Amino acid sequence: MRLRRPLAAALGGLALTLATATSALAADGTFLWIGPHGKAYALDSPPEHKCFDMAQEARAARNATKKPLVIYAQKKCKGTALRLAPGHAAPAGTHFASVVFNPR
């Protein structure tokens, strides 16, 4: 019985540490965009510094994360780039093929 409390406290501390470490590697908030047929999509707490290619048509990007992001006209984060600060949206009609969150 005496061992249970310290062990539980240690495991709880480890879980808290892992939870905060994971959130530090993510752009807290939500990335929103419109896909085919006008359907809205959202990605919560996306990973940072990694390029993501869109699988299908994507437009109307909105950065509701707490970090900047960059959308690109071509896949593999190439082509014309548009940086969106937190809380900002791309101009109407802007299509994109890839995105990177909190770019370096």
Side-chain angles (χ1 to χ4, degrees), residues 46-91:
E48 297 180 7
H49 315 301
K50 183 177 177 188
C51 180
F52 291 93
D53 287 342
M54 306 309 285
Q56 50 196 346
E57 171 195 351
R59 60 186 167 82
R62 185 175 187 293
N63 184 3
T65 72
K66 295 180 182 177
K67 306 240 173 121
L69 63 83
V70 178
I71 58 172
Y72 293 87
Q74 299 174 11
K75 292 193 182 274
K76 305 213 185 287
C77 292
K78 294 186 179 186
T80 304
L82 177 63
R83 186 177 185 91
L84 297 178
H88 287 82

Side-chain angles (χ1 to χ4, degrees), residues 26-33 41-47 64-65 101:
D28 291 334
T30 305
F31 174 60
L32 307 154
W33 73 97
Y41 290 88
L43 178 62
D44 291 322
S45 299
T65 72
F101 301 94

Side-chain angles (χ1 to χ4, degrees), residues 2 5 8 22 30-31 34-35 52 73 79 96 101:
R2 291 183 189 168
R5 283 190 182 168
T22 302
T30 305
F31 174 60
I34 303 296
F52 291 93
F96 64 101
F101 301 94

